[in-house]
């Protein structure tokens, strides 16, 4: 046996080619024919492949190569999961910043700076729909985004609390994002029906974040898992919708005039007297061609003029974007539209754009003004 195994590859193939198995009919007939002449020694050929060390190594290397993709598929899947967790954590962080800002405005009683639509978003943010059973909506949004962000970071770090496994964590993210997306869809409906013609950039941004979290969670959980819990998701969405409807069922309907605004142009008198510093700064801004864009109904624009005072405000290069009044669908004049304004008031000083009310010291710094008493 040992000598057979030690044969070379060509010798073993020769024996295998000219040796027949014991059960072969040709072998049996040959044995009967030769029985009369001499005793026959039957050779049992073992199915052992004898080869040199080279092919054996090749076979082993092929096996190793074949096993590599299966072993590397897990790290790839892990990296993909971590990527979706990081995406959700990032989106949640943006939502935290937005809702924290709006919560601060609610608690401090301040007006929000509206990047788009001028002050119209303040009508929405200060309406009765901005509260849920007496609790400011931005505060609830802050809690929701905080939960999603925290859980996503814990899933990415594989450090879940209370013995929660990764599958349960994913389902919790799916459930929370489902409730957030449902609430956003409900408020978009309220915005389009109760506040027709009104723009609310913060509302639209929050809806975009919520829907993004929902679709990422759907993709992460997978179709098969979603089908198992689709009934639960429908129940969550129905519960959120029913709760919101109950909360706002007793609110009075928005007046029809809100949908068809017709605001004639008016002017507001500035009562404050200008200081020497304000007068000198206004002359300097006029000399360098600095411009202030605003709207007659904008309270922040009026407050900015009050900072300068009655005499200095007349020296400013102020551009009224709605000189003929404002109606639903009215567009700004061409000078304002070309300036790509994000809100009122907006300053353009030496090519630099400043949005919102500015302290006089800030305007002096940006414009390079130095006051000499």
């Amino acid at each position: 046996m040992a000598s057979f195994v030690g044969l070379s590859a060509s010798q073993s193939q020769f024996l295998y080619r000219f040796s027949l198995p014991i059960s072969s009919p040709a072998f049996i007939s040959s044995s009967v024919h030769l029985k009369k002449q001499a005793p026959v020694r039957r050779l049992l050929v073992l199915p052992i492949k004898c080869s040199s060390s080279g092919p054996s190594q090749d076979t082993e290397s092929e096996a190793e190569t074949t096993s590599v993709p299966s072993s590397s598929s897990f790290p790839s899947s892990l990296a993909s999961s971590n990527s979706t967790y990081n995406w959700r954590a990032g989106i949640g962080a943006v939502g935290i910043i937005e809702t924290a800002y709006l919560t601060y405005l609610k608690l401090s009683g301040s007006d929000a700076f509206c990047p788009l639509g001028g002050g119209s978003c303040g009508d929405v943010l200060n309406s009765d729909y901005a509260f849920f059973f007496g609790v400011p909506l931005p505060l609830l949004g802050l809690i929701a985004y905080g939960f999603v962000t925290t859980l996503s970071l814990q899933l990415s770090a594989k450090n879940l609390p209370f013995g929660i496994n990764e599958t349960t964590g994913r389902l919790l993210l799916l459930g929370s994002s489902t409730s957030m997306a449902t609430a956003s869809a409900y408020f978009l409906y309220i915005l389009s029906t109760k506040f027709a013609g009104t723009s609310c950039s913060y509302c639209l941004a929050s809806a975009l974040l919520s829907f993004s979290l929902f679709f990422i969670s759907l993709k992460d959980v997978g179709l098969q898992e979603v089908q198992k819990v689709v009934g639960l998701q429908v129940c969550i969405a129905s519960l959120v919708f029913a709760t919101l409807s109950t909360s706002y069922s007793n609110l009075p309907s928005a007046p029809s005039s809100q949908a068809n605004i017709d605001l004639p142009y008016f002017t507001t008198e500035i009562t404050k007297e200008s200081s020497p510093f304000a007068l000198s700064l206004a002359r300097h801004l006029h000399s360098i061609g600095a411009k202030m864009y605003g709207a007659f109904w904008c309270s922040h624009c009026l407050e900015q003029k009050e900072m300068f005072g009655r005499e200095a405000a007349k020296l400013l290069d102020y551009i009224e974007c709605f000189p003929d009044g404002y109606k639903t669908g009215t567009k700004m004049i061409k000078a304002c539209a070309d300036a790509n304004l994000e809100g009122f008031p907006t300053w353009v000083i030496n090519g630099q754009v400043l949005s919102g009310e500015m302290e006089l010291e800030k305007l002096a710094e940006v414009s390079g003004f130095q006051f000499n008493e």
Side-chain angles (χ1 to χ4, degrees):
M1 178 69 70
S3 62
F4 178 75
V5 174
L7 293 175
S8 65
S10 60
Q11 291 172 335
S12 63
Q13 292 175 2
F14 176 82
L15 288 175
Y16 187 83
R17 184 179 300 175
F18 294 99
S19 302
L20 297 174
I22 297 175
S23 59
S24 175
F27 182 85
I28 296 174
S29 61
S30 300
S31 301
V32 175
H33 177 71
L34 298 175
K35 186 174 182 181
K36 297 179 182 179
Q37 300 178 3
V40 177
R41 295 178 62 186
R42 298 184 179 181
L43 177 62
L44 177 62
V45 179
L46 298 177
I48 299 177
K49 181 178 180 181
C50 298
S51 60
S52 62
S53 58
S56 175
Q57 293 175 352
D58 293 341
T59 304
E60 293 177 359
S61 64
E62 290 176 2
E64 292 175 0
T65 304
T66 305
S67 64
V68 168
S70 60
S71 63
S72 63
S73 60
F74 176 72
S76 176
S77 175
L78 180 62
S80 177
S81 298
N82 287 338
S83 176
T84 57
Y85 297 148
N86 293 334
W87 268 104
R88 276 176 287 197
I91 294 174
V94 175
I96 289 176
I97 295 173
E98 179 196 7
T99 52
Y101 169 68
L102 295 178
T103 301
Y104 166 76
L105 295 179
K106 276 292 181 185
L107 298 179
S108 63
S110 304
D111 292 330
F113 170 69
C114 303
L116 300 176
S120 61
C121 71
D123 298 334
V124 180
L125 298 175
N126 296 324
S127 68
D128 293 333
Y129 289 94
F131 293 89
F132 178 73
F133 288 113
V135 181
L137 273 181
L139 179 58
L140 297 178
L142 178 62
I143 296 173
Y145 284 118
F147 173 78
V148 170
T149 302
T150 302
L151 184 56
S152 298
L153 291 175
Q154 289 176 333
L155 280 168
S156 179
K158 308 301 179 187
N159 184 25
L160 293 171
F162 313 115
I164 299 176
N165 57 31
E166 186 173 2
T167 301
T168 304
R170 289 181 175 181
L171 293 178
L172 284 175
L173 281 177
L174 179 60
S176 58
S177 61
T178 299
S179 61
M180 295 169 68
T182 303
S184 295
Y186 179 86
F187 288 118
L188 287 179
Y189 167 76
I190 294 295
L191 183 63
S192 62
T193 55
K194 305 296 184 180
F195 299 92
T198 303
S199 174
C200 179
S201 54
Y202 296 104
C203 308
L204 298 178
S206 183
L208 177 62
L209 295 175
S210 299
F211 289 133
S212 298
L213 289 172
F214 174 68
F215 288 118
I216 292 176
S217 298
L218 277 181
K219 181 179 181 299
D220 184 39
V221 172
L223 181 60
Q224 294 181 349
E225 289 296 328
V226 171
Q227 290 176 344
K228 296 179 182 179
V229 295
V230 64
L232 178 61
Q233 299 304 111
V234 173
C235 290
I236 292 175
S238 301
L239 179 62
V240 172
F241 184 84
T243 305
L244 291 173
S245 299
T246 302
S247 175
Y248 301 124
S249 59
N250 296 325
L251 291 182
S253 301
S256 58
S257 59
Q258 209 167 31
N260 298 305
I261 301 175
D262 187 358
L263 190 63
Y265 176 79
F266 61 87
T267 58
T268 304
E269 183 181 359
I270 300 173
T271 58
K272 179 182 175 181
E273 186 177 352
S274 300
S275 65
F277 174 75
L279 281 169
S280 298
L281 176 60
R283 293 191 185 98
H284 172 73
L285 293 173
H286 176 75
S287 66
I288 65 174
K291 292 181 173 56
M292 173 186 171
Y293 297 86
F296 67 93
W297 41 260
C298 171
S299 60
H300 297 288
C301 302
L302 178 61
E303 292 172 1
Q304 182 72 86
K305 293 179 182 179
E306 285 285 354
M307 290 184 186
F308 280 91
R310 182 175 56 255
E311 296 81 11
K314 296 177 181 179
L315 302 176
L316 297 174
D317 288 334
Y318 173 75
I319 299 177
E320 172 60 51
C321 294
F322 298 95
D324 298 325
Y326 179 82
K327 295 181 180 180
T328 302
T330 301
K331 296 182 179 180
M332 297 183 291
I333 62 175
K334 188 176 185 303
C336 296
D338 293 341
N340 295 321
L341 305 179
E342 294 183 352
F344 301 121
T346 296
W347 287 91
V348 178
I349 304 175
N350 294 330
Q352 184 174 354
V353 179
L354 304 174
S355 298
E357 296 177 46
M358 294 289 139
E359 296 293 334
L360 299 187
E361 291 76 9
K362 178 66 175 178
L363 293 173
E365 177 185 351
V366 174
S367 63
F369 172 72
Q370 293 182 352
F371 179 62
N372 187 357
E373 295 182 1

